[in-house]
């Protein structure tokens, strides 16, 4: 028979073993929980990545289809014999210093193109002569001046004059030719599809450019890529300048990235401010001197990719994102979502 001290020693040993077993079991449960949570997070992040890449592809394809349709119309119009004949007549008037504005060829050309402009939901075109001067347009104020395209995107216009139909992404609209345009759009930006006009000898004599309103035909497409509470899709140029509308216009005004009443398109650089501006971070550098965001830096170098660890967007908010450089159309496209929004189910 065991003594009292031996019974106590046995009790404490059994209790210690019990505690050890409980701690071991608890540790196992905690470890399994961490493993399970890590797996859930991994699956959640992978699902977010797949969703962002799907959205990015869908928006890119929607843009491709839209541009292809418009390019086809312009190509058909530019290659039509009536347009070539009228173009040659207007060029002759220009060479002879005859008034073009009140000429019959210009009236006929405007009537010929007016029906096609309806399908673009826009109201202007430009016939650009070899000297890069507008010789025909829906608006008289645009005639006789150097093409806005030549001033803002010379290389792409030269490409059109070399014989290649060309898409010209959003750019600033000249103040002179913009008098009629300002009344119909909140942004002083425009984009074009162009096609060469040839004579009977197949020589290029001019370029036909149809103006497209980016608000209607570009920003509206990228808006389709907005998911959750913070997901947004937008385009930007080789310099990291925003080409489509931002979902966070009030954030931009609040953080002084743009002024009240100022359009964000063509006025916002996709820069990394170094911290969350919405939480009061004060950048140490002016916007133009800040580095591009991780996404914009990669894309403007011609790369496509994604980041599921997180990086700061132009507001300084940590986001998950995917991006692509669309070399055919000379712009970058990205889809991103705030990390907190993307992982809310995991949290």
């Amino acid at each position: 028979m065991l003594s009292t001290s031996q019974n106590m020693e046995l009790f404490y040993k059994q209790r210690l073993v019990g505690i050890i077993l409980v701690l071991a079991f608890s540790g196992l449960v905690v470890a399994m929980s961490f493993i399970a949570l890590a797996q859930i997070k991994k699956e959640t992040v992978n699902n977010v990545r797949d969703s962002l890449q799907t959205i990015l592809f869908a928006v890119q394809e929607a843009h491709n289809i839209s541009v292809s349709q418009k390019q086809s119309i312009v190509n058909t119009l530019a290659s039509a014999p009536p347009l070539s004949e009228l173009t040659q007549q207007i060029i002759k008037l220009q060479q002879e210093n005859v008034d073009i504005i009140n000429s019959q060829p210009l009236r006929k050309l405007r009537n010929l193109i007016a029906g096609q402009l309806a399908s673009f939901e826009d109201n202007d075109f430009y016939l650009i002569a070899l000297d890069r001067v507008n010789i025909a347009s829906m608006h008289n104020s645009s005639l006789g001046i150097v093409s806005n395209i030549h001033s803002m995107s010379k290389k792409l216009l030269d490409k059109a004059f070399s014989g290649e139909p060309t898409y010209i992404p959003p750019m600033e609209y000249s103040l002179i030719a913009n008098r009629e345009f300002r009344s119909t759009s909140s942004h002083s930006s425009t984009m074009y599809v162009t096609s060469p006009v040839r004579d009977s000898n197949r020589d290029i004599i001019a370029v036909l450019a149809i103006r497209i309103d980016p608000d209607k035909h570009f920003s509206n497409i990228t808006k389709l890529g907005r998911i959750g509470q913070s997901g947004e899709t937008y385009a930007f140029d080789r310099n990291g300048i925003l080409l489509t509308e931002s979902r966070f216009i009030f954030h931009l005004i609040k953080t002084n990235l743009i002024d009240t009443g100022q359009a964000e398109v063509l006025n916002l650089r996709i820069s990394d401010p170094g911290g969350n501006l919405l939480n009061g971070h004060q950048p140490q550098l002016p916007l133009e001197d800040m580095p591009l965001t991780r996404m914009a830096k990669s894309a403007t170098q011609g790369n496509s990719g994604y980041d599921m660890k997180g990086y700061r967007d132009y507001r300084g908010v940590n986001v998950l994102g995917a991006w692509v450089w669309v070399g055919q159309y000379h712009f970058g496209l990205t889809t991103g979502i705030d990390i907190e929004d993307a992982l809310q189910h995991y949290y």
Side-chain angles (χ1 to χ4, degrees):
M1 192 171 177
L2 298 175
S3 65
T4 301
S5 61
Q6 289 175 324
N7 284 331
M8 289 296 293
E9 183 179 354
L10 179 62
F11 170 75
Y12 282 121
K13 286 182 179 179
Q14 291 174 338
R15 188 174 183 182
L16 179 60
V17 170
I19 291 173
I20 292 173
L21 289 175
V22 169
L23 291 175
F25 178 74
S26 299
L28 180 62
V29 170
V30 170
M32 292 179 64
S33 297
F34 273 107
I35 292 172
L37 286 171
Q39 183 62 30
I40 292 172
K41 183 176 183 179
K42 181 180 179 181
E43 292 178 358
T44 301
V45 169
N46 287 343
N47 289 336
V48 171
R49 179 199 62 201
D50 293 344
S51 296
L52 293 178
Q53 290 183 318
T54 298
I55 292 169
L56 193 63
F57 176 78
V59 171
Q60 185 180 352
E61 283 302 298
H63 180 268
N64 290 346
I65 291 171
S66 175
V67 172
S68 295
Q69 290 174 340
K70 292 173 175 55
Q71 190 70 70
S72 178
I73 293 173
V74 174
N75 293 348
T76 300
L77 190 58
S79 60
L83 188 137
S84 175
E85 293 170 5
L86 290 171
T87 298
Q88 292 177 69
Q89 293 175 25
I90 292 174
I91 291 174
K92 184 178 180 181
L93 293 177
Q94 181 198 35
Q95 294 172 341
E96 296 174 351
N97 292 321
V98 177
D99 176 36
I100 296 177
I101 291 178
N102 298 310
S103 69
Q104 188 177 31
L106 179 59
R107 285 197 300 271
K108 289 183 177 180
L109 185 63
R110 286 173 171 174
N111 291 334
L112 177 66
I113 295 180
Q116 297 296 339
L117 289 178
S119 65
F120 284 75
E121 298 179 357
D122 288 309
N123 61 356
D124 211 355
F125 75 94
Y126 300 91
L127 190 62
I128 307 167
L130 295 176
D131 59 1
R132 289 6 182 211
V133 168
N134 296 327
I135 57 174
S137 171
M138 280 297 181
H139 302 296
N140 293 337
S141 60
S142 301
L143 301 181
I145 61 175
V146 174
S147 166
N148 183 53
I149 306 175
H150 176 73
S151 302
M152 303 301 297
S153 193
K154 181 179 182 299
K155 288 184 179 180
L156 291 180
L157 183 58
D158 288 345
K159 189 176 178 181
F161 271 104
S162 72
E164 185 175 346
T166 305
Y167 164 80
I168 298 175
M171 63 182 188
E172 288 186 43
Y173 205 62
S174 70
L175 295 178
I176 295 177
N178 202 28
R179 283 179 289 186
E180 296 86 355
F181 177 69
R182 285 187 181 278
S183 63
T184 60
S185 174
S186 60
H187 297 161
S188 57
S189 64
T190 187
M191 58 187 191
Y192 304 88
V193 283
T194 70
S195 188
V197 179
R198 301 175 185 270
D199 61 17
S200 57
N201 296 321
R202 304 300 299 162
D203 292 327
I204 296 174
I205 56 175
V207 161
L208 175 65
I210 301 294
R211 186 181 69 78
I212 304 174
D213 187 343
D215 290 1
K216 298 176 183 177
H217 302 288
F218 202 7
S219 287
N220 281 351
I221 291 176
T222 57
K223 286 177 184 177
L224 298 174
R226 295 179 178 179
I227 59 172
Q229 298 298 314
S230 62
E232 73 161 344
T233 301
Y234 58 88
F236 49 92
D237 68 12
R238 180 69 73 177
N239 296 315
I241 303 300
L242 189 70
L243 296 180
T244 56
E245 293 180 9
S246 167
R247 180 174 186 168
F248 305 110
I249 184 67
F250 294 112
H251 289 175
L252 300 181
I253 295 172
K254 176 183 177 182
T255 56
N256 297 316
L257 289 176
I258 62 171
D259 298 327
T260 302
Q262 182 184 32
E264 71 275 33
V265 176
L266 297 179
N267 289 313
L268 178 68
R269 186 170 180 266
I270 314 303
S271 301
D272 179 358
N276 192 330
L277 298 178
L278 301 182
N279 291 339
H281 173 75
Q282 295 296 322
Q284 300 301 309
L285 297 172
L287 183 62
E288 61 271 15
D289 294 333
M290 295 178 194
L292 293 175
T293 65
R294 153 144 168 67
M295 176 281 301
K297 182 179 180 181
S298 174
T300 54
Q301 292 174 349
N303 302 315
S304 299
Y306 58 85
D307 187 328
M308 293 297 112
K309 294 182 180 179
Y311 60 91
R312 287 185 294 269
D313 69 358
Y314 53 80
R315 301 167 297 152
V317 176
N318 285 323
V319 299
L320 306 179
W323 58 88
V324 61
W325 180 257
V326 189
Q328 178 185 3
Y329 297 131
H330 316 286
F331 66 80
L333 195 63
T334 185
T335 296
I337 185 170
D338 293 5
I339 289 182
E340 291 187 0
D341 188 10
L343 301 183
Q344 61 176 321
H345 297 300
Y346 162 74
Y347 293 141

